Amino acid sequence: MGAKLLRWTAARAAPSRTVDGTVLSRAQAGDETAFRTIYRHHHRQVFAFLARMLGERGHEAEDLLQETFVRVFRALPRFREDGPAQLSTWILTIAYRLAVNALRRGRPCVPLSEAPVASEEGDPDQELRRRQLEQALIRAVSDLPPEHRAVFVLRDYEDLSYAEIAAVLDLEVGTVKSRLSRARSRVREGLKDIIDA
């Protein structure tokens, strides 16, 4: 299941960053239908973030997605719509902390398959090269420290602004920019051999 979930080259889903205030109020009051609406609105972005954060351990993303929304459900009555964070960044903050904790636990990885899958219409050589590049990208991002990986994933995959990333990770915008610069440099270095080949 993990390999299918990690589609690093797929287009990003760009959900709107807000949920109707009425839905939020109902969910905060314990309305399960309203909470399911919040889940449906945010789960794809959170899952993609978790899968990319976990890298080769992406098979754990489903469990962490569930744990994220269990925690969201429990803490939602305390979320303030007029507070400093948007609902989407608040949810991503919870997911980020769970991902970092999972990475620190250091459970053994289940490596992704390196076997190329030829498409019926595509050139097998191009498909092999695409798969190799995809695997190299997964490894390069997985090799980043979690703090740099989070900035890279939130900016380059989730397309969050620097201010939104700063809110999710509780950092200054300048720190976000410097971490992103270092992360991109390390990813480029990790892809150098495959790109130069």
Side-chain angles (χ1 to χ4, degrees), residues 2 34 58 101 126 146 161 171:
N101 288 340
Q126 285 183 345
S161 70
L171 298 171

Side-chain angles (χ1 to χ4, degrees), residues 45-63:
Q45 180 185 33
V46 173
F47 180 80
F49 170 72
L50 288 168
R52 290 176 177 131
M53 276 296 292
L54 294 170
E56 292 185 339
R57 292 172 48 186
H59 60 282
E60 297 176 37
E62 188 75 36
D63 291 339

Side-chain angles (χ1 to χ4, degrees), residues 68-89:
T68 296
F69 279 97
V70 165
R71 292 185 184 206
V72 167
F73 182 73
R74 289 180 184 151
L76 195 58
R78 295 186 303 276
F79 174 77
R80 293 191 44 187
E81 192 173 11
D82 61 348
Q86 294 178 348
L87 182 60
S88 60
T89 56

Side-chain angles (χ1 to χ4, degrees), residues 113-119 123-132 135:
S113 170
E114 303 256 353
V117 179
S119 63
D123 176 5
D125 290 336
Q126 285 183 345
E127 182 63 21
L128 174 60
R129 177 134 173 90
R130 187 195 65 77
R131 289 281 300 195
Q132 288 171 336
Q135 293 296 321

Side-chain angles (χ1 to χ4, degrees), residues 182-194:
R182 283 189 221 116
R184 285 176 173 166
S185 177
R186 286 186 63 177
V187 168
R188 275 193 299 272
E189 187 65 30
L191 296 177
K192 187 178 172 187
D193 291 341
I194 193 89

